[in-house]
Amino acid sequence: MSDDRSCTTRRSVLKTTGTASVLGSVALAGCSGNGGDGGDGGDGSDGSDGSDGGDGGSGNSLEITGVWSGGEQESFSNVMSFVEEDTGMSMEYFPRDTDSLLTGTLMDYESGVASADIVVMPSPARIISDAQNGHLAPVGDAWNADDFAVDPSRVTVDGEVYAAPFKMDLKPGFWYRKSFFNEHDLSEPESWDEFMTLLDEISGIEGVDAPIASGNGTGWPLSDLTEGFFMRQEDGASLQQGLIDGDASMTDDRVAAAFDEIKTLHDEGYFSQTRDFGVQYEYFWDNSLPLYFMGSFTPAQDAVEDPSDLGVFRLPGVDGISSSVNWFTVPKYSDNVDAARDALSSFVSAEGQQVWVEEGGFIASNTQVPDDAYEIEVMANLPDLAAEVTVVPDLDDALGNPFQQEFWSVLKGLWATPDTPTEDIVGPLDDAHEETLSN
């Protein structure tokens, strides 16, 4: 990094990123200061969480569930090893797909059952709902908000903090292999016309199936890609924040314009067929799908053999990028609530997060992790990429259901039938959006 970046440190960018969900769109072009409201880190716990299990001491065995698999699971296992040594507890991790995490845990909670002692949840809207319904134990005493880029009010109900922030993800734009671009004399586009020219040039290269990988599963990460097109419209970052806050609607002409642009790329054959997002990384790495709009976890994927060969560029015209946080939660129904809280403190500590940071594909929510822990160049450069625009929350994660499920369903339908009229796309989304905001 150059020496003239004193105004754009990782800490200042992430502090601003973490508060964006609470304070609205935050421009990151200048110095952001300390950011955040500081908080007091208190959980307000008075023993009213229903916990009667575990004393937090050594000898406890904890089960953890989340969506990390493959290389990310290996990295998380290394963090678990650190926490086991730090706390004297033993731990076991059980991966789930996104749908199983969201629906399976809710079914368990409604039956008074803990899916695990610690559940990693990516949706603050879902955390708020679970807390309001009495499914979670407060964990505010597990972290001091002064040391984090994320504001605790995102997961606070009636003064109690119900989650602890761990892994942050930025959705910067299109990833590519630098060796592929160098071999074919390609360059990062700086305008929409240059972007379209790049897609046309890639289409003509032997061995390319399509320029852009269409990752799927539940409808994510097609949603991240779509949000990128929202944010390349006029005042796009404000549009996305407005959709979250209820100050904008899905009938906004800019939403329709974004879908029209996506349909244009479909018409040109620039999108691949949909496959599971993890499988698409294999096609991305062998250059048959050279561009992939994905998050900052990309360097940690199994198929990425050499993270130093990765480059990334924003979708031309965007004035924002989205971010999300993976939160640790503790179900009230666990037999080890106190021990789980103690484990959370170790997981989210600077030392715990640094374990994964050094392996790549991880942006720490704890701002005390040193800058030099980011050993992969592309990861170290992401704060610069974010500092040039406005960072806003992930749309569907912030809103939750029923919007999230409808958003994913509509996008799967669009990729299956790209000639769907735009009004038939926007209409169901507007209904789900209005219903979600009214809940």
Side-chain angles (χ1 to χ4, degrees):
M1 295 181 219
S2 61
D3 292 335
D4 60 0
R5 291 184 59 251
S6 60
C7 187
T8 311
T9 66
R10 183 184 64 86
R11 289 183 176 85
S12 66
V13 170
L14 293 187
K15 273 288 188 182
T16 312
T17 302
T19 57
S21 298
V22 182
L23 302 178
S25 298
V26 181
L28 297 182
C31 294
S32 63
N34 291 331
D37 67 359
D40 60 7
D43 69 344
S45 175
D46 59 2
S48 60
D49 61 17
S51 166
D52 61 355
D55 62 1
S58 62
N60 289 92
S61 179
L62 301 180
E63 294 184 352
I64 305 170
T65 191
V67 298
W68 299 312
S69 61
E72 286 189 299
Q73 181 176 346
E74 291 179 13
S75 294
F76 182 61
S77 293
N78 292 334
V79 182
M80 284 199 305
S81 296
F82 166 83
V83 174
E84 287 177 326
E85 183 175 351
D86 187 44
T87 65
M89 305 179 198
S90 62
M91 299 177 187
E92 190 170 5
Y93 173 74
F94 299 93
R96 299 171 177 240
D97 60 32
T98 303
D99 186 60
S100 174
L101 181 73
L102 295 175
T103 61
T105 54
L106 183 58
M107 292 174 63
D108 286 343
Y109 293 167
E110 291 177 344
S111 300
V113 175
S115 305
D117 299 300
I118 297 173
V119 175
V120 187
M121 185 63 63
S123 170
R126 170 61 190 278
I127 293 168
I128 292 295
S129 176
D130 286 345
Q132 290 172 336
N133 288 308
H135 299 317
L136 301 179
V139 296
D141 60 347
W143 58 292
N144 183 344
D146 290 339
D147 295 333
F148 287 79
V150 182
D151 194 293
S153 63
R154 296 178 65 178
V155 290
T156 297
V157 174
D158 296 332
E160 300 275 24
V161 179
Y162 284 94
F166 184 56
K167 182 175 184 284
M168 295 182 67
D169 292 317
L170 292 174
K171 319 294 179 64
F174 288 99
W175 295 81
Y176 65 92
R177 293 188 64 179
K178 291 187 286 188
S179 58
F180 178 83
F181 268 45
N182 290 337
E183 179 183 354
H184 299 285
D185 196 26
L186 304 173
S187 59
E188 295 183 359
E190 297 183 0
S191 68
W192 178 256
D193 287 343
E194 289 183 7
F195 178 60
M196 295 297 285
T197 298
L198 173 65
L199 297 181
D200 184 62
E201 291 176 344
I202 291 176
S203 294
I205 295 174
E206 184 178 356
V208 169
D209 294 338
I212 302 173
S214 298
N216 195 21
T218 59
W220 173 89
L222 298 179
S223 53
D224 289 345
L225 172 65
T226 301
E227 291 172 34
F229 279 84
F230 288 171
M231 285 186 281
R232 64 161 261 103
Q233 309 309 312
E234 183 178 1
D235 295 326
S238 294
L239 169 63
Q240 174 124 333
Q241 189 68 53
L243 290 169
I244 293 169
D245 296 338
D247 297 329
S249 76
M250 296 301 294
T251 59
D252 192 296
D253 288 343
R254 292 171 292 178
V255 173
F259 280 114
D260 286 340
E261 289 180 342
I262 290 171
K263 290 171 65 178
T264 296
L265 298 192
H266 274 292
D267 290 343
E268 296 293 334
Y270 291 152
F271 287 118
S272 75
Q273 70 181 83
T274 56
R275 300 183 184 90
D276 177 83
F277 86 95
V279 173
Q280 290 291 51
Y281 274 110
E282 299 174 12
Y283 292 86
F284 164 73
W285 193 252
D286 72 11
N287 294 321
S288 56
L289 302 176
L291 301 178
Y292 202 0
F293 193 107
M294 286 296 282
S296 53
F297 44 79
T298 291
Q301 299 304 306
D302 282 347
V304 177
E305 298 174 6
D306 179 12
S308 68
D309 194 29
L310 290 172
V312 63
F313 63 86
R314 294 191 306 269
L315 176 64
V318 300
D319 67 354
I321 60 175
S322 65
S323 66
S324 62
V325 178
N326 292 274
W327 300 85
F328 285 120
T329 64
V330 177
K332 182 182 69 174
Y333 315 108
S334 166
D335 292 331
N336 300 293
V337 168
D338 293 331
R341 282 199 193 100
D342 288 346
L344 257 59
S345 294
S346 183
F347 271 117
V348 304
S349 68
E351 296 80 9
Q353 294 194 29
Q354 184 171 343
V355 173
W356 195 338
V357 165
E358 291 175 348
E359 297 191 11
F362 185 102
I363 296 178
S365 60
N366 191 315
T367 58
Q368 302 308 303
V369 174
D371 291 347
D372 59 11
Y374 292 83
E375 299 177 357
I376 298 174
E377 181 182 5
V378 70
M379 294 297 296
N381 291 338
L382 284 182
D384 285 339
L385 205 65
E388 296 168 357
V389 293
T390 301
V391 180
V392 294
D394 181 283
L395 177 64
D396 51 289
D397 280 347
L399 285 170
N401 285 324
F403 177 79
Q404 185 171 60
Q405 289 294 338
E406 184 64 25
F407 193 35
W408 291 350
S409 176
V410 164
L411 294 179
K412 287 190 290 184
L414 173 59
W415 256 255
T417 312
D419 59 355
T420 301
T422 301
E423 57 267 26
D424 292 345
I425 298 169
V426 172
L429 290 178
D430 185 53
D431 291 342
H433 184 240
E434 289 296 322
E435 182 181 354
T436 301
L437 292 173
S438 67
N439 289 341

